Amino acid sequence: MNQKKTPFVSVVIPNYNYGRALELCLRAALAQTYAPMEVLLIDDCSTDDSVAVAEACGVRVISTGVNSGVATTRNTGAAHARGEIVVFVDSDVAMEPDAIANAVALLTSDPKIGAVCGTYDAEPLIRDSLIEEYRCLHQYYWLAETEGRIGTLHTAICAMPAHVFAEIGPFNPRLRHTEDGDYAARICRSYEVHSSTTVRGRHDHDDTWRVVLRKVFHRTRLHIPLYVRRGDLPGGIATGPRAGASVAALLAVLTLPLGFAAAPWLLLPAALLALALLADTALYRFVLRRRGPLFTAYFAFVHSVVNAVIAAGAGVGVLQWLASRRFRRLYEPGEHLTAVRATT
């Protein structure tokens, strides 16, 4: 009786200056229950001790040669990978021991599945700040809520057959914040993408207000040309209740000065804020069960600010889309191939 061959897996870990979390990431990758596999660290010219950390763990290090961004780093890793399945893992994520085994099982269960994306644990990899705990709980809830077939790509943990990557082509190196959304639009034309809570890892989330709000703003802004092309992409300003919550939160901020001018006008921003909170009642109930009322109040405040920033980013993105032909063409089919050739 013929036994099905177990596919060889290449774990590709793109890295730039994540030495602080890198050892936890690498040791988790090396401790996977799955075999056979290799682990590759693709270093984007780090200036910290990342390379020394990887070498101390016995992991092969490949340098991009010139700092080029995560898209180029992943492409470099895929080019050096020997596996029939490539698993991209961010260098600030420590996978659960069975994450790769579960991802491979899902991929090999149906040839229509072109990629399997992992989810985050509810606890951060390294606990640093309250806003990091907000970010961790929010993303855990959102990713678990969208488990199953999805229309996007979560690249923090993402497994795909090497032949699918070769067919779809490389990540667009011109994109620094939205390369995953662009790749999702391309891969979903030919394959299904699935998200699974059985493929999980702990993530060292961003731990300062400045970084969190900057990322949220720019990622939303840069997704606008993609949302125009594909209105079915989930997340942020693109979906019904979440879009409403974001718009209501921003309008609450913008109308707040009216309340300072005349007390009765305070009813308007208060009503708008209430609408923003009501749109996410299921999320707040989840946080309340896990962390209690005090943290839930903090969570609701942070989430309202984040929602307002999402709406602001979308607004700026729409203005850019109207004013800039270059911005409208950010995700033109075939543009990524031109960019890749220019960097090789």
Side-chain angles (χ1 to χ4, degrees):
M1 183 176 178
N2 292 328
Q3 288 187 336
K4 194 172 182 180
K5 180 187 174 185
T6 303
F8 186 80
V9 168
S10 293
V11 181
V12 171
I13 302 174
N15 174 76
Y16 177 67
N17 284 352
Y18 272 98
R20 180 168 177 261
L22 185 58
E23 183 175 355
L24 295 172
C25 168
L26 294 176
R27 295 206 179 280
L30 293 168
Q32 290 296 298
T33 60
Y34 184 88
M37 57 173 276
E38 65 176 351
V39 178
L40 307 175
L41 180 80
I42 316 302
D43 188 69
D44 199 20
C45 301
S46 295
T47 57
D48 66 358
D49 63 345
S50 293
V51 172
V53 168
E55 290 174 344
C57 291
V59 171
R60 180 186 174 194
V61 178
I62 299 166
S63 174
T64 57
V66 178
N67 182 262
S68 307
V70 70
T72 295
T73 310
R74 289 197 191 105
N75 294 339
T76 302
H80 285 83
R82 297 182 293 123
E84 299 156 80
I85 292 176
V86 179
V87 180
F88 296 105
V89 182
D90 284 356
S91 54
D92 55 0
V93 173
M95 293 181 289
E96 292 296 318
D98 60 353
I100 289 179
N102 292 334
V104 171
L106 281 169
L107 273 180
T108 55
S109 69
D110 188 343
K112 295 193 299 293
I113 300 177
V116 169
C117 300
T119 58
Y120 296 139
D121 194 85
E123 299 296 326
L125 180 61
I126 302 172
R127 193 179 299 275
D128 292 309
S129 67
L130 285 176
I131 195 166
E132 179 179 27
E133 294 184 42
Y134 153 78
R135 192 78 165 148
C136 189
L137 275 176
H138 175 246
Q139 294 208 354
Y140 168 82
Y141 174 85
W142 178 63
L143 290 172
E145 187 183 46
T146 57
E147 184 175 22
R149 186 176 179 180
I150 57 177
T152 187
L153 197 75
H154 311 309
T155 48
I157 306 174
C158 179
M160 67 176 68
H163 73 85
V164 171
F165 185 85
E167 177 186 339
I168 303 303
F171 287 92
N172 187 338
R174 296 186 304 119
L175 303 176
R176 293 269 180 151
H177 291 284
T178 55
E179 78 290 336
D180 50 354
D182 169 71
Y183 207 88
R186 289 154 49 200
I187 193 172
C188 286
R189 296 189 192 110
S190 306
Y191 295 95
E192 295 180 7
V193 176
H194 286 241
S195 174
S196 175
T197 55
T198 68
V199 183
R200 182 173 291 178
R202 287 198 174 195
H203 185 204
D204 185 27
H205 292 268
D206 298 314
D207 57 10
T208 67
W209 279 84
R210 180 181 63 84
V211 174
V212 169
L213 296 183
R214 184 185 66 199
K215 281 189 176 181
V216 166
F217 177 84
H218 287 299
R219 286 178 178 174
T220 305
R221 175 180 66 83
L222 291 168
H223 267 98
I224 292 301
L226 194 57
Y227 287 143
V228 171
R229 287 181 172 275
R230 283 195 58 206
D232 61 330
L233 282 174
I237 199 71
T239 55
R242 298 189 72 204
S246 297
V247 172
L250 179 60
L251 290 176
V253 173
L254 295 177
T255 57
L256 189 58
L258 292 175
F260 294 136
W265 281 104
L266 276 174
L267 292 174
L268 180 58
L272 288 166
L273 181 59
L275 285 174
L277 294 173
L278 284 171
D280 280 316
T281 51
L283 169 63
Y284 296 130
R285 283 197 298 266
F286 161 76
V287 177
L288 183 63
R289 288 194 301 269
R290 291 196 66 108
R291 298 294 301 272
L294 190 60
F295 185 83
T296 301
Y298 171 80
F299 185 100
F301 169 71
V302 177
H303 195 56
S304 297
V305 174
V306 168
N307 273 337
V309 172
I310 287 173
V316 172
V318 168
L319 292 176
Q320 280 190 272
W321 187 86
L322 292 171
S324 170
R325 182 172 179 269
R326 183 178 179 183
F327 190 68
R328 288 194 294 272
R329 296 186 59 187
L330 196 58
Y331 302 96
E332 285 283 349
E335 287 287 311
H336 66 287
L337 295 176
T338 302
V340 168
R341 293 189 191 104
T343 61
T344 57

